[in-house]
Amino acid sequence: MNQMQTAPTGLSRRGALASVLAATVAAMPVMACATTNADSTALALCAAFWRVHGRIKAMDTDPELPYGSPEQKRFEAKLAKLCGQEVNILSQLANTPAHTTAGQQGKAAILRAILPTAFADFDLGIECEEIRLVMSLLDDLAGGLAA
């Protein structure tokens, strides 16, 4: 069902990740507004992730700028800032337990979108934010019980 697309060679690794995830953002279900306070922080972080991720995706569709031009440098700086925000949100989300189904599904939807390409494109280790978020979700689903 999920098929990976090869990113154009002119994209950065983060740009390639964003382009592969473009369809996922459009297909994400809207989370219900009426949730318990138990996961308000986790759900707010999920929403913040999708906003930033969507901005990265939108930038990925912009035409390529001449390499080294002032415009290209500004573009790359803006993209780097957004990518930094995305990582920061993932870090916060990994540190925020999800107690309800909505919170757990929010985390799972993000992981489902980012992990396949992240494993392929990046050298992911146990301390990277993506893996920390996986471990956090597993803790949530296991009721916080350590193995």
Side-chain angles (χ1 to χ4, degrees):
M1 182 185 289
N2 286 338
Q3 291 192 1
M4 300 284 220
Q5 295 178 342
T6 305
T9 58
L11 295 176
S12 67
R13 290 189 329 168
R14 183 59 81 164
L17 176 61
S19 68
V20 171
L21 301 176
T24 305
V25 173
M28 287 303 304
V30 177
M31 288 187 227
C33 293
T35 60
T36 65
N37 286 335
D39 277 345
S40 60
T41 300
L43 292 173
L45 287 167
C46 288
F49 171 85
W50 289 116
R51 280 190 303 274
V52 171
H53 187 72
R55 290 175 64 197
I56 292 169
K57 179 192 83 162
M59 288 183 72
D60 190 43
T61 63
D62 289 348
E64 285 193 39
L65 299 166
Y67 181 76
S69 68
E71 296 84 9
Q72 189 262 344
K73 290 178 183 179
R74 283 191 295 274
F75 178 88
E76 290 295 328
K78 183 178 177 183
L79 184 60
K81 182 178 178 182
L82 286 171
C83 290
Q85 290 173 356
E86 188 177 73
V87 169
N88 185 22
I89 292 167
L90 287 175
S91 179
Q92 291 177 60
L93 194 53
N95 291 323
T96 304
H99 302 286
T100 67
T101 300
Q104 293 164 358
Q105 288 176 341
K107 283 184 172 183
I110 290 170
L111 289 169
R112 186 168 188 242
I114 65 176
L115 276 182
T117 303
F119 276 118
D121 291 345
F122 303 103
D123 183 23
L124 296 183
I126 193 70
E127 293 303 316
C128 72
E129 297 310 326
E130 292 86 354
I131 300 304
R132 289 185 63 249
L133 184 55
V134 169
M135 298 307 293
S136 174
L137 179 61
L138 292 175
D139 286 343
D140 297 341
L141 295 173
L145 301 174

